[in-house]
Every structure is written in structure tokens, then in C-alpha cells.
Amino acid sequence: MNPVKSLIKGIFRFFGYEIINAAQPDTATPDKLPLEFVTSRLKNIRNIQYACGENILRGWINVDASPYAYEENESFIRIDLLKTHPFPDNWFKFGFAEDFIEHLGQADLFLYLTEVYRTFKKGGVLRLSFPGLEGVLTRHYQNLDYDTAVKGKNDAYTLWGHVHFCSRDELKMICRQIGFKKIQFVEYGISRYKELRNLDRRNEQIGLNTYVEIIK
């Protein structure tokens, strides 16, 4: 990775944020990956981390639109998460994405979650951790006037490339429309599923982030 880009990413990460390019068009990312390539990487792995950045989970498939330093890693696949995911139907059992969906507009969120639904097994669980609208209002938009709204726009949206913050009710409506069976809001690091426990990394965002497990 370019050392300047690495330094900038390190500074952002210090403040609890990750620069994620998955929502941006990437002409270098192929529309279709060879089936043999994907199959060789999948093997019998049934857990997937989306928009992984440099956080590679061992024993999981890790995907992102940017190559980072893991192009040669067997568990990393470079894909555009807003295009058709190069995975079989009904394949994954568990999934995880941290600080990703706030970079997606509402229509793109539908695209992403529709592909999650297709590629997850019945009963499969996707865990999301993201700045939720409720937390953003509390942190950035209290005592609202015009100056506060301008500062909130910069601090919550512009500075980090954030596009849309889902409320709990909005996410529930979207997931039910797609066909997911159950949506459970949980706490930082806590899950009834051992595979999804202690995956959240940013405890400084407790109170800002929403933690949810979505079941097909």
C-alpha cells in the first residue's frame, strides 16, 4: 500500500473510522470472477466478512472492493459488493460487516442485502455494526440550529464519506421486504452465536453504532 495512504488510513482508524471504497465504482474489479477461482477460495468456508479492509478474519472469506495488501491471501476475494456476488445460492451460514452500510445510499443497500439474502443459507445470520440514525442524532444533532446542522453534516457525513444512516425501523422494513425472517438488535460484542461474538472492534463507537443480527 502507498505509505501516504497507509498513514492517512491509520489516522482515520485512530479516531474509530475506516476509509471504505466498496461503494465507489471500481473499473478494475471484474464483473464476473472465474467460477474455479471463487470455488478454490471458498472450499468449505461458510462465513463471510464484507468490506473487510485490512481486518482479515481467519477461517472466513474476506471481501472488499479495494485490494489492500491481501490480494495473495487465500481468504481474500476482491469484489464489488454492489454487483452480483460471485457466490452460490444458499451458501453462507454467518456474515459480518462493520462500519460499511453507512457508505451506501438506500437503493444500494437494497442491492447489497438482496445478494446477502440469495447467498445465505436458510437460518443464516448477518451481523451488522454501523452508525445508526439514533446514535447520529444524539451525538451530532442535539440542540439543533442551523450552525449545529452544518457542523453535523460535516462531522457525521462529509468528513467520513457517509451517505445514509439507517434507523432501526427503516432497516427492519427493508429486511422484511427482502424476505429475511428475523431482525434482532444486540449489544457490542454480544451474540447468541459463538461465531459472531467479539467481532466488533470499535468500542469508542458504543452509543453511536447500531448492532443487529439479521436472520434469513
Side-chain angles (χ1 to χ4, degrees):
M1 180 185 292
N2 181 295
V4 175
K5 289 183 179 179
S6 181
L7 175 62
I8 293 171
K9 285 171 62 63
I11 293 171
F12 274 58
R13 196 177 299 111
F14 176 80
F15 288 101
Y17 292 93
E18 194 80 45
I19 300 175
I20 296 176
N21 300 318
Q24 304 299 323
D26 185 353
T27 55
T29 303
D31 291 340
K32 298 288 184 182
L33 291 171
L35 181 60
E36 311 79 47
F37 174 84
V38 174
T39 304
S40 70
R41 294 289 176 101
L42 280 179
K43 299 178 182 176
N44 291 318
I45 298 176
R46 302 291 176 137
N47 301 342
I48 182 169
Q49 180 185 198
Y50 300 101
C52 62
E54 297 176 350
N55 178 40
I56 298 295
L57 295 178
R58 297 182 62 182
W60 291 53
I61 286 293
N62 301 271
V63 302
D64 203 294
S66 297
Y68 295 98
Y70 295 101
E71 199 72 65
E72 302 300 320
N73 191 303
E74 281 291 314
S75 69
F76 177 83
I77 301 178
R78 186 184 183 195
I79 68 171
D80 186 337
L81 289 170
L82 302 184
K83 296 180 180 177
T84 303
H85 298 183
F87 305 119
D89 295 352
N90 307 308
W91 182 264
F92 293 110
K93 187 174 181 182
F94 293 103
F96 175 63
E98 183 174 42
D99 288 359
F100 169 56
I101 69 168
E102 68 274 17
H103 295 270
L104 305 181
Q106 192 177 68
D108 286 337
L109 181 59
F110 269 102
L111 292 177
Y112 165 64
L113 289 177
T114 297
E115 279 299 278
V116 170
Y117 185 84
R118 177 185 66 79
T119 57
F120 269 50
K121 301 173 66 172
K122 185 176 181 180
V125 186
L126 170 68
R127 182 183 179 97
L128 297 176
S129 168
F130 61 93
L133 181 59
E134 295 85 355
V136 170
L137 292 178
T138 298
R139 182 168 295 192
H140 296 289
Y141 288 96
Q142 289 196 15
N143 304 316
L144 195 61
D145 56 23
Y146 183 79
D147 289 340
T148 305
V150 170
K151 187 176 187 304
K153 178 182 177 181
N154 180 69
D155 293 351
Y157 291 85
T158 307
L159 190 59
W160 311 109
H162 295 162
V163 176
H164 178 79
F165 298 110
C166 267
S167 69
R168 293 187 174 205
D169 286 342
E170 178 188 5
L171 187 61
K172 285 192 290 187
M173 283 191 292
I174 290 173
C175 290
R176 286 170 181 162
Q177 185 68 23
I178 291 171
F180 288 99
K181 180 176 66 175
K182 195 171 185 180
I183 301 98
Q184 297 178 323
F185 293 97
V186 293
E187 301 297 326
Y188 177 90
I190 296 173
S191 175
R192 61 180 293 188
Y193 309 97
K194 62 181 178 60
E195 292 87 349
L196 300 176
R197 292 173 195 155
N198 302 313
L199 294 180
D200 310 309
R201 296 180 301 154
R202 296 165 184 166
N203 59 7
E204 72 279 1
Q205 290 179 216
I206 295 173
L208 173 66
N209 274 24
T210 293
Y211 308 96
V212 62
E213 293 179 350
I214 304 164
I215 304 167
K216 179 176 176 178

